[in-house]
Amino acid sequence: MEKPAYVLEFEKPLRELAKDLDALHQKSMEHNLDVTPEVKALENKLEQTRRDIYSNLTPWQRVQIARHPKRPYALDYVGLICEGFQELHGDRQFNDDRALVGGTAFFNGEAVMIIAQQKGRDTKENIERNFGMPQPEGYRKALRLMKTAERFKLPVLTFIDTPGAFPGVESEARHVSEAIAVNLREMAMLKVPSIAVVVGEGGSGGALGIGVTDRVLIFENSYYSVISPEGCAAILWKDRSAAPKAAEALKLNAATLEGLGVVDEVLPEPFGGAQNDPAQAAAALKYALQKHLNDLRALDTETLLNARYDRYRKLGSYEEAGVVHS
Amino acid sequence: MVHFDKPTYTVRRTRKKEIPHGLYTKDPVTGESVFTKELEDNQMVVPKSGHHFPIGARQRIAKLVDEGTFSETDAGVRSADPLGFVDSAPYPTRIKKYEKESGLPEAVICGTGKIHGIPVSLAVMDFRFCGGTLGSAAGEKITRAIELAVADKCPCIIFSTSGGARMQEGILSLMQMAKTSAALGRLAAAGLPYISVLTHPTTGGVSASYATLGDVILAEPGALIGFAGPRVIKDTTKQTLPAGFQTSEFLLKHGLVDQIVSRLELRDRIGELLLALHVKKKAAPPTTVVNT
């Protein structure tokens, strides 16, 4: 028997309607009844409910989709849009972080360097991948590979999908903050084109640690935030269950991020989320990556670096002499 | 009949944790009471135990730079409310409260000055303003201080104290980490020194950007320095934290910090480092002529 599909809380009405529909089919077969009008009505209702739910997703519901256990992960996309991925392991200093991986690949026939935050599909894999939470070694490996890319003039494509950098004793003892900080500075200076895509969770500094790129793309149900909604709720509302409110207040969804200038393009997902049709999501990503790569390749290094500096330089909103700059 | 007035006592208010207000302040190390005035005259360092209380940005600057050389820059850069953020209070109301309480326009004060005669660009954070959090205005000011160092070809010095990024400005706060770090990339490319001084506490997004990017990283004694706070680590990983974890002393031992320097010696130590890294010359000590 097929394993039941993973259903998010807000998707439950759809599951109920689908069950009713099955029951109706079953009944018609058993009793040889013509239930065509009833089936038609129920199907219409199902479609209408589907539209109602997925066309009006709240920020918190989108966070749920971004964390969906069936959502395509970074290496799924790499497999779908690239050929010949050669994983290159280790930071050459301490360890090989399985939550942040990288290597060479060919994208539309051209060599690129892939840097990817990777979650696991099941418990065993999640333990190996540390639930997608990189440690300092992951960031240092990412930097090593970006420097390799720079030396061989390969564009860098990064895939962001992390709840955040790992908040653990080992991670702190080996200075995860320094590892992230160095990446921010070095990525800003990297002499090759770079594009980041937020494929799932863009969890704070852990995401930014591979995210200082010429272009930042984001899937429409992904989020990118300074803090997790739960963390924000715990601090400002003193209650983790206020996460939906915090998600709303943090303006962490793709469309608002584009409005703030933090992301350059929002990539469409199949209805209900990328998990429903990974190939379709990958096709949208492939098209956008090629377009942005073409634009960036046309720039000389100095123009590229100045444009990147300006891109981050102008982010923020502050008041000066009665004028709000944003 | 001799009338004795009731003596007046100053009650120590603990409105802001660890920031002394009353006539006397209790030293958490020895438990002894210290005359607050004496503490203030000693840059908030307890003379006997050496315990460092937090110090305000302006008080710090006054003792750090050569007298009369400080010139504040970008004092008019203030926080806006890009997200229209409201939790239990609207963000602009909170900002007004912090301005009033701290007497500061933002969580960082920037300017130029001289240390031992060497011109520097300076940014000094103050924990009293919204926990020293990094928002767009603070990020803008720090970035300008770094860019000013590049333009004036002088060293940059940043004193950090921060609870991290300012949540009320959402993703734009996170982007200040990228903005300031990118500016430091330009400073490094220009061959100009950056001295980062970590003070209690320096955590979150500030620790994961400019605070840990110094060519030299100094720390005041006993400061809490880390990416994730101790409570977050305990809650997330259920790990027990080693004694002294995430302190300046721990980080010196584990190779992040170059030196731990008492606040009372910071000015001279920074001056000496700037001589080595920037001036690259020092007047030779008088030669002793040995008669043979």
Side-chain angles (χ1 to χ4, degrees), chain A residues 7-39:
Chain A
V7 179
L8 297 170
E9 188 62 36
F10 66 87
E11 294 176 316
K12 281 189 177 155
L14 293 176
R15 188 175 63 175
E16 294 308 313
L17 285 169
K19 265 192 201 159
D20 293 351
L21 196 59
D22 279 352
L24 199 59
H25 278 303
Q26 194 72 24
K27 204 167 126 193
S28 94
M29 291 223 289
E30 279 169 15
H31 304 282
N32 201 14
L33 293 170
D34 180 16
V35 287
T36 316
E38 288 89 338
V39 167

Short mmCIF file of all heavy atoms in Angstrom, two decimals, chain A residues 7-39:
data_model
loop_
_atom_site.label_atom_id
_atom_site.label_comp_id
_atom_site.label_asym_id
_atom_site.label_seq_id
_atom_site.Cartn_x
_atom_site.Cartn_y
_atom_site.Cartn_z
N VAL A 7 0.75 15.48 5.24
CA VAL A 7 -0.25 16.55 5.15
C VAL A 7 0.01 17.61 6.22
O VAL A 7 0.13 17.29 7.40
CB VAL A 7 -1.68 15.99 5.32
CG1 VAL A 7 -2.70 17.11 5.25
CG2 VAL A 7 -1.97 14.94 4.25
N LEU A 8 0.13 18.85 5.79
CA LEU A 8 0.30 19.95 6.74
C LEU A 8 -1.05 20.27 7.37
O LEU A 8 -2.10 20.00 6.78
CB LEU A 8 0.85 21.18 6.01
CG LEU A 8 2.24 21.02 5.38
CD1 LEU A 8 2.57 22.21 4.49
CD2 LEU A 8 3.32 20.83 6.45
N GLU A 9 -1.01 20.86 8.54
CA GLU A 9 -2.24 21.15 9.30
C GLU A 9 -3.29 21.88 8.43
O GLU A 9 -4.44 21.47 8.39
CB GLU A 9 -1.85 22.01 10.52
CG GLU A 9 -2.97 22.23 11.52
CD GLU A 9 -3.49 20.94 12.15
OE1 GLU A 9 -2.68 20.02 12.39
OE2 GLU A 9 -4.71 20.86 12.38
N PHE A 10 -2.84 22.91 7.73
CA PHE A 10 -3.82 23.71 6.97
C PHE A 10 -4.30 23.01 5.70
O PHE A 10 -5.22 23.47 5.05
CB PHE A 10 -3.25 25.10 6.65
CG PHE A 10 -2.07 25.09 5.71
CD1 PHE A 10 -2.26 25.11 4.34
CD2 PHE A 10 -0.78 25.05 6.21
CE1 PHE A 10 -1.17 25.11 3.47
CE2 PHE A 10 0.31 25.03 5.34
CZ PHE A 10 0.11 25.06 3.98
N GLU A 11 -3.66 21.87 5.38
CA GLU A 11 -4.10 21.12 4.19
C GLU A 11 -5.14 20.06 4.55
O GLU A 11 -5.63 19.35 3.66
CB GLU A 11 -2.89 20.44 3.54
CG GLU A 11 -1.87 21.41 2.96
CD GLU A 11 -0.64 20.70 2.41
OE1 GLU A 11 -0.12 19.78 3.07
OE2 GLU A 11 -0.17 21.08 1.32
N LYS A 12 -5.46 19.93 5.84
CA LYS A 12 -6.36 18.85 6.26
C LYS A 12 -7.74 18.87 5.61
O LYS A 12 -8.26 17.81 5.27
CB LYS A 12 -6.46 18.82 7.79
CG LYS A 12 -5.23 18.14 8.37
CD LYS A 12 -5.32 17.87 9.84
CE LYS A 12 -4.05 17.12 10.26
NZ LYS A 12 -3.73 17.30 11.66
N PRO A 13 -8.34 20.06 5.40
CA PRO A 13 -9.65 20.07 4.70
C PRO A 13 -9.56 19.38 3.34
O PRO A 13 -10.53 18.72 2.92
CB PRO A 13 -9.95 21.56 4.53
CG PRO A 13 -9.17 22.24 5.59
CD PRO A 13 -7.95 21.41 5.81
N LEU A 14 -8.42 19.50 2.67
CA LEU A 14 -8.26 18.86 1.36
C LEU A 14 -8.25 17.36 1.50
O LEU A 14 -8.84 16.63 0.70
CB LEU A 14 -6.95 19.33 0.71
CG LEU A 14 -6.86 20.80 0.32
CD1 LEU A 14 -5.48 21.12 -0.22
CD2 LEU A 14 -7.92 21.12 -0.72
N ARG A 15 -7.57 16.88 2.56
CA ARG A 15 -7.51 15.45 2.77
C ARG A 15 -8.90 14.89 3.07
O ARG A 15 -9.29 13.85 2.56
CB ARG A 15 -6.55 15.12 3.92
CG ARG A 15 -6.31 13.62 4.03
CD ARG A 15 -5.29 13.28 5.07
NE ARG A 15 -5.72 13.68 6.39
CZ ARG A 15 -5.02 13.41 7.49
NH1 ARG A 15 -3.88 12.76 7.41
NH2 ARG A 15 -5.46 13.81 8.67
N GLU A 16 -9.67 15.65 3.86
CA GLU A 16 -11.03 15.22 4.20
C GLU A 16 -11.89 15.11 2.94
O GLU A 16 -12.59 14.11 2.73
CB GLU A 16 -11.68 16.21 5.19
CG GLU A 16 -11.02 16.24 6.56
CD GLU A 16 -10.89 14.85 7.19
OE1 GLU A 16 -11.90 14.10 7.17
OE2 GLU A 16 -9.79 14.51 7.67
N LEU A 17 -11.80 16.12 2.08
CA LEU A 17 -12.60 16.11 0.84
C LEU A 17 -12.18 14.96 -0.07
O LEU A 17 -13.02 14.30 -0.69
CB LEU A 17 -12.46 17.46 0.11
CG LEU A 17 -13.23 18.62 0.73
CD1 LEU A 17 -12.81 19.94 0.09
CD2 LEU A 17 -14.74 18.41 0.56
N ALA A 18 -10.87 14.71 -0.13
CA ALA A 18 -10.36 13.63 -0.97
C ALA A 18 -10.88 12.29 -0.45
O ALA A 18 -11.24 11.40 -1.24
CB ALA A 18 -8.84 13.65 -0.98
N LYS A 19 -10.94 12.17 0.87
CA LYS A 19 -11.47 10.94 1.48
C LYS A 19 -12.93 10.73 1.10
O LYS A 19 -13.35 9.64 0.73
CB LYS A 19 -11.36 11.03 3.01
CG LYS A 19 -10.10 10.40 3.58
CD LYS A 19 -10.28 10.30 5.10
CE LYS A 19 -8.96 10.17 5.81
NZ LYS A 19 -9.07 10.58 7.22
N ASP A 20 -13.70 11.83 1.19
CA ASP A 20 -15.12 11.77 0.84
C ASP A 20 -15.29 11.32 -0.61
O ASP A 20 -16.17 10.52 -0.93
CB ASP A 20 -15.79 13.15 1.01
CG ASP A 20 -15.85 13.57 2.47
OD1 ASP A 20 -15.54 12.72 3.33
OD2 ASP A 20 -16.20 14.74 2.73
N LEU A 21 -14.44 11.83 -1.45
CA LEU A 21 -14.50 11.51 -2.88
C LEU A 21 -14.23 10.02 -3.09
O LEU A 21 -14.94 9.34 -3.84
CB LEU A 21 -13.48 12.37 -3.62
CG LEU A 21 -13.63 12.48 -5.14
CD1 LEU A 21 -14.99 13.05 -5.52
CD2 LEU A 21 -12.53 13.36 -5.72
N ASP A 22 -13.21 9.52 -2.40
CA ASP A 22 -12.88 8.09 -2.48
C ASP A 22 -14.06 7.25 -2.03
O ASP A 22 -14.41 6.24 -2.67
CB ASP A 22 -11.67 7.77 -1.57
CG ASP A 22 -10.36 8.12 -2.26
OD1 ASP A 22 -10.41 8.45 -3.47
OD2 ASP A 22 -9.32 8.08 -1.60
N ALA A 23 -14.65 7.69 -0.91
CA ALA A 23 -15.78 6.93 -0.35
C ALA A 23 -16.94 6.87 -1.36
O ALA A 23 -17.59 5.84 -1.52
CB ALA A 23 -16.23 7.57 0.96
N LEU A 24 -17.13 7.98 -2.02
CA LEU A 24 -18.21 8.07 -3.01
C LEU A 24 -17.95 7.11 -4.17
O LEU A 24 -18.85 6.37 -4.60
CB LEU A 24 -18.31 9.52 -3.51
CG LEU A 24 -19.60 9.94 -4.19
CD1 LEU A 24 -20.79 9.75 -3.25
CD2 LEU A 24 -19.52 11.40 -4.61
N HIS A 25 -16.73 7.09 -4.66
CA HIS A 25 -16.35 6.17 -5.74
C HIS A 25 -16.58 4.74 -5.31
O HIS A 25 -17.13 3.92 -6.05
CB HIS A 25 -14.86 6.37 -6.09
CG HIS A 25 -14.64 7.52 -7.01
ND1 HIS A 25 -15.23 7.63 -8.24
CD2 HIS A 25 -13.86 8.64 -6.89
CE1 HIS A 25 -14.84 8.75 -8.83
NE2 HIS A 25 -14.01 9.40 -8.01
N GLN A 26 -16.15 4.45 -4.09
CA GLN A 26 -16.27 3.11 -3.52
C GLN A 26 -17.75 2.68 -3.51
O GLN A 26 -18.10 1.59 -3.95
CB GLN A 26 -15.71 3.15 -2.09
CG GLN A 26 -15.46 1.77 -1.49
CD GLN A 26 -14.26 1.09 -2.12
OE1 GLN A 26 -13.37 1.76 -2.65
NE2 GLN A 26 -14.25 -0.23 -2.13
N LYS A 27 -18.60 3.60 -3.03
CA LYS A 27 -20.02 3.34 -2.89
C LYS A 27 -20.64 3.06 -4.27
O LYS A 27 -21.39 2.11 -4.45
CB LYS A 27 -20.70 4.57 -2.26
CG LYS A 27 -22.00 4.26 -1.55
CD LYS A 27 -22.39 5.46 -0.70
CE LYS A 27 -23.80 5.89 -1.04
NZ LYS A 27 -24.11 7.21 -0.47
N SER A 28 -20.26 3.85 -5.24
CA SER A 28 -20.83 3.72 -6.57
C SER A 28 -20.45 2.37 -7.18
O SER A 28 -21.24 1.74 -7.86
CB SER A 28 -20.41 4.87 -7.46
OG SER A 28 -19.27 4.54 -8.22
N MET A 29 -19.24 1.93 -6.90
CA MET A 29 -18.78 0.65 -7.44
C MET A 29 -19.52 -0.50 -6.76
O MET A 29 -20.03 -1.40 -7.43
CB MET A 29 -17.27 0.51 -7.22
CG MET A 29 -16.48 1.47 -8.09
SD MET A 29 -15.06 0.73 -8.86
CE MET A 29 -14.00 0.51 -7.45
N GLU A 30 -19.61 -0.41 -5.43
CA GLU A 30 -20.23 -1.48 -4.67
C GLU A 30 -21.70 -1.66 -5.01
O GLU A 30 -22.21 -2.76 -5.14
CB GLU A 30 -20.09 -1.24 -3.15
CG GLU A 30 -18.73 -1.67 -2.61
CD GLU A 30 -18.50 -1.18 -1.21
OE1 GLU A 30 -19.48 -0.77 -0.54
OE2 GLU A 30 -17.32 -1.18 -0.79
N HIS A 31 -22.38 -0.53 -5.16
CA HIS A 31 -23.82 -0.60 -5.38
C HIS A 31 -24.24 -0.33 -6.82
O HIS A 31 -25.41 -0.25 -7.11
CB HIS A 31 -24.54 0.38 -4.43
CG HIS A 31 -24.21 0.13 -3.00
ND1 HIS A 31 -24.78 -0.89 -2.28
CD2 HIS A 31 -23.33 0.75 -2.18
CE1 HIS A 31 -24.26 -0.88 -1.05
NE2 HIS A 31 -23.38 0.11 -0.97
N ASN A 32 -23.22 -0.20 -7.66
CA ASN A 32 -23.47 0.05 -9.07
C ASN A 32 -24.41 1.25 -9.28
O ASN A 32 -25.41 1.17 -9.97
CB ASN A 32 -24.03 -1.21 -9.73
CG ASN A 32 -23.81 -1.18 -11.25
OD1 ASN A 32 -23.04 -0.35 -11.72
ND2 ASN A 32 -24.49 -2.05 -11.96
N LEU A 33 -24.10 2.34 -8.62
CA LEU A 33 -24.94 3.54 -8.71
C LEU A 33 -24.27 4.58 -9.59
O LEU A 33 -23.05 4.65 -9.66
CB LEU A 33 -25.12 4.16 -7.32
CG LEU A 33 -25.93 3.39 -6.29
CD1 LEU A 33 -25.79 4.05 -4.94
CD2 LEU A 33 -27.40 3.32 -6.72
N ASP A 34 -25.10 5.37 -10.23
CA ASP A 34 -24.54 6.49 -10.98
C ASP A 34 -24.47 7.71 -10.06
O ASP A 34 -25.50 8.25 -9.68
CB ASP A 34 -25.41 6.79 -12.22
CG ASP A 34 -24.84 7.96 -13.00
OD1 ASP A 34 -23.65 8.32 -12.77
OD2 ASP A 34 -25.58 8.53 -13.83
N VAL A 35 -23.24 8.07 -9.66
CA VAL A 35 -23.09 9.21 -8.74
C VAL A 35 -22.36 10.36 -9.43
O VAL A 35 -21.78 11.21 -8.80
CB VAL A 35 -22.33 8.80 -7.45
CG1 VAL A 35 -23.22 7.95 -6.56
CG2 VAL A 35 -21.05 8.08 -7.79
N THR A 36 -22.39 10.34 -10.75
CA THR A 36 -21.64 11.36 -11.51
C THR A 36 -21.90 12.79 -11.02
O THR A 36 -20.94 13.53 -10.81
CB THR A 36 -21.96 11.25 -13.02
OG1 THR A 36 -21.92 9.88 -13.36
CG2 THR A 36 -20.95 12.00 -13.85
N PRO A 37 -23.15 13.20 -10.82
CA PRO A 37 -23.36 14.59 -10.37
C PRO A 37 -22.72 14.85 -9.02
O PRO A 37 -22.09 15.90 -8.82
CB PRO A 37 -24.88 14.72 -10.26
CG PRO A 37 -25.46 13.52 -10.93
CD PRO A 37 -24.42 12.46 -10.95
N GLU A 38 -22.85 13.87 -8.08
CA GLU A 38 -22.27 14.06 -6.76
C GLU A 38 -20.74 14.15 -6.85
O GLU A 38 -20.11 14.98 -6.21
CB GLU A 38 -22.65 12.91 -5.82
CG GLU A 38 -24.10 12.91 -5.37
CD GLU A 38 -25.02 12.14 -6.32
OE1 GLU A 38 -24.64 11.95 -7.51
OE2 GLU A 38 -26.11 11.74 -5.89
N VAL A 39 -20.16 13.27 -7.67
CA VAL A 39 -18.70 13.28 -7.85
C VAL A 39 -18.26 14.61 -8.41
O VAL A 39 -17.31 15.24 -7.91
CB VAL A 39 -18.26 12.12 -8.78
CG1 VAL A 39 -16.81 12.31 -9.21
CG2 VAL A 39 -18.43 10.77 -8.08
#
